[in-house]
Amino acid sequence: MNESQPIRVLLADDQELLRGSLRLLVDSTPGLVAVGEAGTGARAVELARAERPDVVLMDVRMPGMDGIEATRRICAEPSATRVLILTTFDLDEYVYAGLRAGASGFLLKNTPPADLLTAIRVIAEGEGLLAPSVTRRLIAQFAQFTQFGRTAADRPRSGPSLDGLTAREREVLTLVARGLSNLEIAANLHVSTATVKTHIGHLLAKLGARDRAQLVIAAYEGGLVATSRRHP
């Protein structure tokens, strides 16, 4: 994205007080600007189409169309808009479904403001979940939700085919899914970070993934990385 332009953020949550607080936080931060507020999923989709924001902060539970369906529709549009899901985590067991719908990541609603602002910038730059160290734990946990039948809303379909990947691309994808950063992957494979970035670019293209978060989903659903069978 153009570094000279502010990151445009759309706020979607059914709680007006929370939306107002988020807007105040975003608008008071240099380099960020709020371009709209939505109290329903349908309104979020409408505003996303009209405003073409860089990032949508998306609540999961909203009246009418929920955040999962809104995410699916927004991410299906031919735009660069990315979705960052906000969740209460222990109550919303639909975050995995949200990532599969195209979301680039998620945050807990009690995340410190500074971390939220960092997340917005990370998502806007095309990265996935907040930090590689978080990826393994959270994606594995949501994969386990589905294995134990706890995600009734959207059980995984058959995973993507990984047949077209080279042996090295499989190695890189496995390490991405295990939560390693580009620097750590480079050290593990004894290659440069530039080479790792090239491999990740190839993976994104071959698997039709939007970002790193989607690569993690592809690795789990494609059976490349097995999750623990232990109940979380």
Side-chain angles (χ1 to χ4, degrees):
M1 60 177 296
N2 190 338
E3 294 184 0
S4 65
Q5 298 296 324
I7 297 172
R8 305 173 75 251
V9 183
L10 173 63
L11 311 169
D13 195 289
D14 64 344
Q15 297 182 31
E16 185 175 356
L17 180 59
L18 179 56
R19 290 200 313 272
S21 298
L22 289 173
R23 180 156 203 152
L24 181 62
L25 175 65
V26 169
D27 282 340
S28 63
T29 301
L32 302 182
V33 61
V35 296
E37 299 179 26
T40 66
R43 180 58 175 163
V45 173
E46 179 182 341
L47 285 177
R49 288 172 177 167
E51 299 294 340
R52 301 291 182 180
D54 299 302
V55 177
V56 179
L57 293 185
M58 181 74 74
D59 185 22
V60 174
R61 296 185 173 184
M62 291 184 286
M65 181 189 300
D66 64 17
I68 302 300
E69 180 58 27
T71 295
R72 183 177 293 108
R73 297 191 185 192
I74 290 172
C75 292
E77 294 285 328
S79 71
T81 299
R82 299 180 184 277
V83 176
L84 178 58
I85 289 179
L86 298 177
T87 177
T88 50
F89 185 73
D90 56 338
L91 296 178
D92 296 326
E93 297 181 352
Y94 299 99
V95 177
Y96 182 71
L99 293 175
R100 293 184 67 248
S104 294
F106 65 91
L107 280 179
L108 307 186
K109 284 191 174 180
N110 61 358
T111 296
D115 290 346
L116 172 60
L117 296 173
T118 297
I120 292 173
R121 295 188 180 96
V122 168
I123 294 297
E125 291 299 324
E127 289 295 330
L129 304 174
L130 288 183
S133 61
V134 178
T135 302
R136 175 180 53 202
R137 176 175 60 85
L138 295 182
I139 296 300
Q141 185 167 29
F142 292 121
Q144 287 173 2
F145 283 154
T146 66
Q147 288 171 356
F148 287 100
R150 296 178 63 183
T151 305
D154 194 0
R155 294 180 184 276
R157 299 180 291 272
S158 59
S161 173
L162 306 180
D163 294 341
L165 303 185
T166 66
R168 179 45 62 94
E169 287 168 350
R170 283 173 173 265
E171 286 182 297
V172 173
L173 182 58
T174 298
L175 296 176
V176 169
R178 289 177 177 170
L180 274 66
S181 66
N182 287 355
L183 186 61
E184 291 168 331
I185 293 173
N188 191 285
L189 299 180
H190 305 289
V191 298
S192 68
T193 54
T195 297
V196 173
K197 290 181 180 179
T198 297
H199 285 308
I200 290 179
H202 291 163
L203 288 167
L204 291 170
K206 288 185 176 182
L207 298 176
R210 290 169 59 91
D211 49 37
R212 200 182 192 95
Q214 300 302 302
L215 288 182
V216 175
I217 296 296
Y220 277 102
E221 294 194 340
L224 188 60
V225 178
T227 58
S228 169
R229 300 300 298 181
R230 179 167 53 90
H231 196 293

